[in-house]
Amino acid sequence: QVQLVESGGGLVQAGGSRRLSCQASGRTLSSYAMGWFRQAPGKERDFVAAITRGGGSTHHADSVKGRFTISRDNAKNLMYLQMNSLKPEDTAVYYCAAAPRGYTTLVLTSETYEYWGQGTQVTVSS
C-alpha cells in the first residue's frame, strides 16, 4: 500500500505560478502510474494530468494544457504539478492519486485510481 501527501497549495494571484508536490511513502513510487485531479466547490472531481510509471508519457486535460506540467522524480518518491498562468477557475482542491500496481499506461479516469492523497487547496484570486 502507498500513502500520498500533497503540499504546495495556497493563495496565488491570477497569472501567477505554483508547484504542487505529492510525496509517496510505503511503496516505491516507480511502481505506480500517477495522476492529478481537482475538485472545485459544488463540482465533481476532474482529471488534470496523468503520468506513466517511468515518466515517459504524460497527458494533460485541455483546460490546463500549455499551462500545467506533470512530472515525477522516482528516486525521491515525488510527483509534481507545475502550474503557470493560473486563472481564478483553477481554484480547487488538488489531489494526487496512484493507480493499482501493474498499470503500464496512462490512467485518465478517477475510478481506476486506488490511492488518494488528502488534497491541497489552491485559490487563485483575480
Side-chain angles (χ1 to χ4, degrees):
Q1 189 170 352
V2 63
Q3 292 81 41
L4 304 173
V5 178
E6 303 94 338
S7 62
L11 177 64
V12 60
Q13 288 189 331
S17 297
R18 202 83 180 180
R19 188 177 80 162
L20 304 183
S21 298
C22 176
Q23 180 72 62
S25 61
R27 293 274 190 178
T28 303
L29 193 64
S30 60
S31 298
Y32 301 91
M34 304 285 293
W36 286 98
F37 289 78
R38 66 185 182 185
Q39 187 167 20
K43 296 187 177 181
E44 295 183 349
R45 188 172 298 186
D46 290 332
F47 168 79
V48 175
I51 189 166
T52 50
R53 293 188 302 183
S57 294
T58 62
H59 181 74
H60 298 79
D62 288 344
S63 59
V64 305
K65 198 167 293 182
R67 301 187 298 122
F68 292 11
T69 303
I70 189 172
S71 63
R72 64 192 298 162
D73 185 341
N74 287 339
K76 296 181 179 179
N77 265 10
L78 280 165
M79 180 178 68
Y80 304 102
L81 184 68
Q82 178 66 44
M83 306 185 295
N84 299 328
S85 302
L86 282 160
K87 305 175 181 180
E89 51 263 45
D90 294 319
T91 295
V93 177
Y94 284 72
Y95 299 89
C96 66
R101 295 181 70 187
Y103 271 83
T104 59
T105 59
L106 291 165
V107 180
L108 306 184
T109 57
S110 61
E111 294 80 8
T112 305
Y113 283 92
E114 184 172 6
Y115 306 103
W116 293 84
Q118 83 290 346
T120 186
Q121 175 72 47
V122 174
T123 302
V124 184
S125 63
S126 57

